[in-house]
Each structure stands twice: as C-alpha cells, then as structure tokens.
Amino acid sequence: MDSVTMNSHMATEEKSISEDRMLVFVPPHPLIKHWISVLRNEQTPCPIFRNAMAELGRLLMYEASRDWLPTVTGEIQSPMGIASVEFIDPREPVAIVPILRAGLALAEHASTILPATKTYHLGISRDEETLLPTTYLNKLPDKFPEGSRVFVVDPMLATGGTIVAALDLLKERGIDNKQMKVISALAAPPALQKLSEKFPGLHVFTGIIDPTVNEKGIIIPGLGEAGDRSYGT
C-alpha cells in the first residue's frame, strides 16, 4: 500500500506528512489493546461485547478529534477570579454516521466525549456471494453545511466495499476527504488499499490492522460478525 502512511504518534507528526496521502492511525493505548482483546475472545458474551465495542469507539473518537474540533475562546468568572477559557463550539456539531448494524455499537458513546453531535444512520448490506454493497437505509441530508466534520463509523474494514460506498455518498453531499474521518475496530489491507486509492487525505483511526481476509471477505483472525455478536441476532 504505497500511498498509505502508518502513524501511531498522533497529531504532532501528522502535520509534517504529505497531505496527499491517506493516513492510518493505530493509537498505541493499552486500553485500546484491552478492548480489542475482549472483542476477539469468542467466549465474550453479547452484552460485554457490545460494551467493549462502545468503549473502543469512545477511545478512537477521542484520539481522532485531536486538533480537529472547532473552538471558541473568551473569559469567564471563576469562584476565584477571571479565567481565559476555550470551549468546543456548539454551533458546529460533529456529524456521526454509523453504518448499521454494528456501527451503532461502536458509535454508542460518541455523545459522552463530543459536546455537540448529530447522528445520521446509514444502512449498507454486503452480498455474501458477490461481496458488493447495497444501501438499504440512508438518513443523510441532501447537503451538509459548509465546513462540516464527519465521523464515519464502521467496525470492520475488510474488503472495503461498504466503507467506500458510504464515503461516496458523503462526497456527493459536499464533504471532502479531509472533512471526514473513519473510525473502525479492525482493518485489513484490501480495504485500506481501496481507501488510499480513492480518498487521498482521508484519515482512518482503527484499533488494529489484521493481515488478511478470507474468501468470504471476513477479516482473519478478526473477531467474527460484529453485528451478530453485538446484538445476539
């Protein structure tokens, strides 16, 4: 993947890397490794699996929001005097786009770390034979406000068909590559290769990169079917 840059040191190094490359971030946080391990375990029961997915999503969105959120500055009166302050600007909510079903679990705690959000559900299924995506639910607006910031939440980046279809829908609605960030639990080379070819400048935040996918398009060793394991159906 010649056009993909791997980076685990976050925002300080991000600015020095070519803006024309897609960047893939695997934050080296022990809590991220912990929740990935819980998700991998085939003995993890459904409620704990879903909570682990939500906790992982919270950590990845925290990392992905560094140096990216709009802020406002000013002064307030504290109990002891005047203080200079900086708040996240509530007039510019971050758009959260979970890809159903499993994306709901990964995005569940978004509102606990982001002061202002709007959620737009996107349902995309994958044909088990052809591995091609089909959109069955689209709650995206016809046009996003200028300057919008979007987290696209898809737990499994395997063959890349689903995430590419989702990002294409966003681009049709006025979002460019640098306005959106992908949040995933696991990623595999085929998906990252497709994203790097189609979306230069995109940032992908994932818990871990697994080496391959099998003939059915499932990540190996992976964690199984994320939607089924999150909801027990």
Side-chain angles (χ1 to χ4, degrees):
M1 295 180 292
D2 294 337
S3 57
V4 179
T5 298
M6 306 301 299
N7 193 321
S8 295
H9 299 291
M10 309 312 299
T12 55
E13 294 185 14
E14 174 181 336
K15 296 175 183 177
S16 64
I17 301 172
S18 171
E19 294 183 355
D20 295 330
R21 290 185 174 185
M22 184 187 82
L23 304 184
V24 182
F25 297 87
V26 184
H29 198 295
L31 284 173
I32 289 177
K33 296 176 183 177
H34 169 82
W35 293 118
I36 288 289
S37 300
V38 173
L39 292 170
R40 285 205 195 274
N41 187 353
E42 66 177 1
Q43 300 299 322
T44 298
C46 173
I48 296 176
F49 184 93
R50 188 168 62 249
N51 179 70
M53 190 69 78
E55 291 295 336
L56 178 61
R58 188 211 311 261
L59 292 166
L60 290 171
M61 283 185 273
Y62 172 83
E63 296 286 2
S65 61
R66 292 175 185 264
D67 299 326
W68 196 57
L69 301 177
T71 59
V72 291
T73 59
E75 292 185 338
I76 60 171
Q77 178 70 50
S78 84
M80 303 303 292
I82 300 295
S84 297
V85 294
E86 185 172 359
F87 292 101
I88 303 300
D89 191 342
R91 298 168 297 182
E92 299 185 42
V94 175
I96 309 295
V97 180
I99 299 178
L100 308 184
R101 284 183 306 168
L104 290 172
L106 193 62
E108 185 173 336
H109 290 338
S111 63
T112 67
I113 60 164
L114 298 169
T117 62
K118 287 186 176 181
T119 300
Y120 303 95
H121 295 104
L122 190 58
I124 301 177
S125 61
R126 187 177 70 172
D127 186 284
E128 293 184 1
E129 297 296 328
T130 66
L131 304 183
L132 296 176
T134 300
T135 301
Y136 63 87
L137 177 71
N138 183 349
K139 292 296 184 179
L140 299 177
D142 293 335
K143 194 78 172 178
F144 280 91
E146 185 176 354
S148 293
R149 294 164 174 82
V150 183
F151 280 147
V152 185
V153 185
D154 185 7
M156 312 293 285
L157 304 183
T159 62
T162 297
I163 190 63
V164 167
L167 299 187
D168 281 341
L169 289 171
L170 288 168
K171 295 201 72 171
E172 291 171 6
R173 288 157 173 79
I175 300 296
D176 68 34
N177 297 348
K178 295 174 184 177
Q179 290 176 257
M180 51 191 178
K181 296 189 178 186
V182 174
I183 305 295
S184 74
L186 274 70
L192 296 177
Q193 183 65 42
K194 284 183 181 178
L195 290 172
S196 71
E197 291 169 356
K198 288 204 65 174
F199 305 100
L202 178 70
H203 290 182
V204 176
F205 286 76
T206 187
I208 197 166
I209 299 174
D210 275 355
T212 189
V213 299
N214 65 14
E215 68 281 358
K216 296 181 179 180
I218 298 173
I219 297 175
I220 303 297
L223 50 78
E225 215 298 319
D228 291 352
R229 296 192 67 194
S230 291
Y231 298 103
T233 57

